[in-house]
Amino acid sequence: WRPEIALDNIAGSNIFNMPGIPGLTAATVPMPVPRRFLVFELPVMAAVSVLLMLILLRGQRLGRLAGLCLLAGFAIYVWRAQE
C-alpha cells in the first residue's frame, strides 16, 4: 500500500485538469468566466490546495478525523456552490 502514489495521481490530475480542460475548451469555443468562479470557487480551491500542501510537506498523516473533516468540507462546498 503506497498512499503517496494515490496522492500524486490526484494532485497530478487536478493540476492538469483545472487549467487544461477549460483552456482547451476556450481555445476551440470562447467562453465567459463566471464571476462566481473568481469570487468563490477559485479562492476555496487555492486555500484547500495550500492547506493540503502544508500538511504533506510537514509529513503528517491524514487520519480518519482529518478525512471526515475534508469530506464534511467538501459537502459544505457542494451545498454552498448550488446556491
Side-chain angles (χ1 to χ4, degrees), residues 17-72:
N17 288 342
M18 291 309 292
I21 302 304
L24 186 61
T25 303
T28 58
V29 178
M31 58 186 214
V33 176
R35 177 165 162 64
R36 174 179 180 74
F37 177 77
L38 297 173
V39 172
F40 175 68
E41 294 177 14
L42 190 61
V44 169
M45 181 177 51
V48 170
S49 297
V50 168
L51 176 66
L52 284 175
M53 187 172 47
L54 291 174
I55 290 171
L56 295 174
L57 288 175
R58 293 184 65 191
Q60 295 176 325
R61 288 182 55 115
L62 290 177
R64 286 190 175 107
L65 180 60
L68 286 173
C69 289
L70 289 170
L71 187 60

